[in-house]
Amino acid sequence: MPTLLQQPLRLLIDGQWVGCASGATMDVINPSTGEVLAQEALGGAADIHQAVQAARRALESGPWARMRPAERTRLLLKLADALDQHGDELALLETLNTGKPLKVARLFDVGHAAECLRYNAGWATKLNGETRAVSLPGDWHAFTLREPVGVVGLIVPWNVPLAMAVSKIAPALAAGCTVVLKPAELTPLTALRLGELIVAVGFPPGVVNIVTGLGTEAGQALVAHPGVDKVSFTGSTAVGKAILASAAGNLKRVALELGGKSPVFIFPDADLDRAIDAAARGIFSNTGQVCAAGSRLFVHRSVAERVVEGVARRALQLRVAPGLEADAEIGPVISARQRERVMAYVASGRAEGAEVVAGGEAIDGAGYFIQPTVMVNTTPAMKVVREEIFGPVLCVQQFDDDSLEQLAARGNDTDFGLSSSIWTRDLRTAHQMVRRLKAGNVRVNAAAALDFAMPFGGYKQSGWGRENGREGVEAYTELKSVAIDLN
Ligand code: NAD
């Protein structure tokens, strides 16, 4: 049993592990079994205030404020190595807390987090301003400076807890910011173990603070705190909108990575075996709890039968089991509440006339398991097609002689705009669809293409801003224009 689970869970504030001011706790549940794993401290406004003050002190005085960029690089690389060294333990904690297969947690969640640290570590020494050729009368030296935006509040969801926390911490620290992280209340474990490693590798006190607790209390307090300069939030669109309102008090900068309802288009000339495999993985991986999940499948009528049959077969073959079982391919959804939510969507799809051709039922037992589900005969007005389900439910629609204009419009007929994928061997079709789709990320003939060099984020109600790449790290900076009159 990981040592983290043998002690009361605490908050990390100013380099110290402390209890929360109220003493309130909440059970942390294993979604594969319904069993209690630990007691989480429910931080609130008082704890957030302490954490923000510690982050402010670390930002403005002390070793972090004086640290050269190359030293920040070295610390981030040390943290990446620490994640690798403790990879098995971190993966075990992630699997216990989310139910996802252990090998996925080890390779993807922990591996991704370590690589994200390495990618962003390099940016610490490459965040430059530039000289500008100004046309003012006289003789000028004009240039820009990039400075850390300041104290940043980071709020993350429960679907990929460690990797998501690191995807915000790494660029924020590379840019020289200090942070207060609020993990999702359902999944605090890996964030807290990460906090231990952050202390162990030598980040100065107050640079990273971690306050666990409810979104409506700790999260809300962080977003509204006047000492926070920026909030970076990943989660639902509804909470993203609430965050915007709360952040208005001091006009703090806001970055939002929100929900999606991403389309997948399969044209008749596609490599159908690969497309089928990717369509299934795109909706069933992580039990469908992926913001960029390909949840709306548009398939050409001439190949619809083969594609639907292929995806449905994969849905039926997938081994749905607790993540600790060696052959588990997909785990449970995160909570009993999430299972009810997903099942209510399936029921609404049936009631509105969709046909379930695979799955469609919750799996009896203590854990929160759901059969991977494929629904056909879905139409644009159905709730299952309009709303993000965040579960393993694919909605299939067909197209026939639609023009690419019409087809793209069908794909764009959503409030979201996070991701999309196109399966065709025809270059013209691919490029014309790429240009027409209103989505932050488009993949062509590819199942997944997450790379830290590529900006990630949404159009429309899928968010504000981009993570990853130069844009992702520059998002943690302010730009200062300097003009010096040389006369
Ligand atoms: P959620 O919005 O309910 O919660 C996300 C986080 O916000 C949690 O830490 C929660 O405690 C906190 N929170 C809740 N209410 C808050 C408030 N009023 N003020 C401040 N913080 C608050 O989302 P979830 O159910 O945990 O996660 C699922 C959602 O996340 C889905 O919509 C999914 O699409 C989205 N998501 C998006 C991305 C992306 O990169 N675009 C990635 C993963 C998940």
Side-chain angles (χ1 to χ4, degrees):
M1 185 57 61
T3 45
L4 186 82
L5 299 181
Q6 296 164 21
Q7 58 200 354
L9 300 179
R10 288 172 298 171
L11 317 178
L12 177 61
I13 298 179
D14 209 9
Q16 304 294 317
W17 291 98
V18 295
C20 63
S22 69
T25 62
M26 177 182 131
D27 290 344
V28 181
I29 305 290
N30 178 344
S32 289
T33 61
E35 285 164 9
V36 176
L37 289 164
Q39 300 285 319
E40 166 182 4
L42 286 183
D47 309 289
I48 288 288
H49 184 60
Q50 295 297 325
V52 171
Q53 284 188 317
R56 176 64 57 192
R57 283 192 299 275
L59 181 79
E60 291 179 356
S61 57
W64 185 253
R66 292 189 300 272
M67 195 176 280
R68 287 174 300 126
E71 290 177 71
R72 296 206 301 274
T73 296
R74 270 196 287 279
L75 273 179
L76 287 164
L77 292 176
K78 263 176 96 172
L79 184 58
D81 290 345
L83 256 63
D84 283 341
Q85 274 158 23
H86 299 275
D88 291 344
E89 180 198 353
L90 284 161
L92 177 59
L93 287 169
E94 204 73 311
T95 289
L96 287 170
N97 206 170
T98 63
K100 68 180 69 187
L102 190 58
K103 57 181 180 293
V104 174
R106 182 69 185 86
L107 282 175
F108 176 76
D109 295 73
V110 181
H112 188 88
E115 289 312 310
C116 178
L117 284 160
R118 293 193 175 99
Y119 174 80
N120 282 287
W123 275 115
T125 53
K126 295 166 195 70
L127 285 172
N128 302 317
E130 52 187 30
T131 53
R132 295 289 170 108
V134 294
S135 301
L136 297 167
D139 192 9
W140 293 86
H141 177 42
F143 58 96
T144 58
L145 290 175
R146 284 212 174 264
E147 298 178 342
V149 70
V151 172
V152 189
L154 308 175
I155 301 180
V156 293
W158 41 257
N159 57 336
V160 202
L162 176 69
M164 206 68 84
V166 168
S167 73
K168 296 189 185 297
I169 289 174
L173 298 187
C177 296
T178 59
V179 307
V180 178
L181 170 70
K182 209 295 282 173
E185 51 269 46
L186 297 177
T187 54
L189 298 185
T190 45
L192 294 173
R193 186 68 185 105
L194 174 70
E196 293 178 346
L197 297 174
I198 284 171
V199 173
V201 301
F203 280 92
V207 172
V208 177
N209 305 274
I210 303 175
V211 178
T212 53
L214 301 175
T216 46
E217 293 181 14
Q220 165 65 26
L222 183 57
V223 171
H225 199 292
V228 174
D229 300 299
K230 172 171 176 136
V231 166
S232 178
F233 169 79
T234 297
S236 59
T237 294
V239 173
K241 290 179 182 178
I243 282 179
L244 266 190
S246 310
N250 66 336
L251 280 186
K252 54 176 67 70
R253 282 76 183 104
V254 179
L256 302 171
E257 292 289 341
L258 307 176
K261 193 76 189 176
S262 299
V264 176
F265 301 91
I266 302 183
F267 289 87
D269 66 330
D271 178 337
L272 290 183
D273 288 338
R274 285 184 58 216
I276 288 167
D277 187 53
R281 280 198 280 151
I283 185 65
F284 300 137
S285 297
N286 215 39
T287 321
Q289 303 167 124
V290 177
C291 53
S295 49
R296 289 182 299 145
L297 174 60
F298 293 89
V299 58
H300 192 271
R301 198 173 301 281
S302 65
V303 292
E305 196 179 323
R306 178 165 161 205
V307 169
V308 168
E309 195 268 332
V311 177
R313 182 153 21 88
R314 277 168 178 69
L316 297 170
Q317 283 167 347
L318 277 171
R319 171 127 170 81
V320 186
L324 287 182
E325 290 188 15
D327 58 351
E329 290 177 293
I330 67 171
V333 293
I334 195 67
S335 64
R337 187 160 153 251
Q338 184 69 4
R339 182 169 63 176
E340 273 169 36
R341 226 184 125 250
V342 175
M343 294 321 298
Y345 274 113
V346 174
S348 95
R350 283 189 164 115
E352 290 188 285
E355 185 193 346
V356 173
V357 293
E361 304 297 331
I363 300 173
D364 282 344
Y368 314 129
F369 294 94
I370 292 178
Q371 294 172 342
T373 297
V374 179
M375 288 184 146
V376 297
N377 300 335
T378 63
T379 59
M382 289 180 184
K383 205 168 136 92
V384 283
V385 171
R386 301 224 71 79
E387 297 180 15
E388 183 183 47
I389 299 176
F390 221 56
V393 181
L394 180 66
C395 296
V396 184
Q397 299 178 50
Q398 297 188 10
F399 63 93
D400 204 340
D401 49 4
D402 306 51
S403 65
L404 294 183
E405 203 76 57
Q406 288 167 326
L407 186 57
R410 288 176 66 184
N412 291 335
D413 179 18
T414 166
D415 291 337
F416 300 105
L418 190 55
S419 188
S420 53
S421 43
I422 301 162
W423 289 85
T424 177
R425 288 185 171 105
D426 185 290
L427 265 181
R428 277 185 57 242
T429 304
H431 280 291
Q432 290 192 6
M433 286 297 286
V434 164
R435 289 182 180 194
R436 286 175 169 82
L437 289 172
K438 301 268 181 277
N441 310 273
V442 186
R443 293 186 299 266
V444 180
N445 297 334
L450 266 187
D451 188 282
F452 301 113
M454 293 287 280
F456 182 87
Y459 282 31
K460 300 196 276 182
Q461 295 189 31
S462 288
W464 277 8
R466 295 291 180 270
E467 294 192 323
N468 293 341
R470 178 166 48 79
E471 296 79 358
V473 70
E474 285 183 354
Y476 290 96
T477 65
E478 285 280 10
L479 196 58
K480 181 178 279 175
S481 289
V482 185
I484 304 179
D485 186 344
L486 298 178
N487 287 308

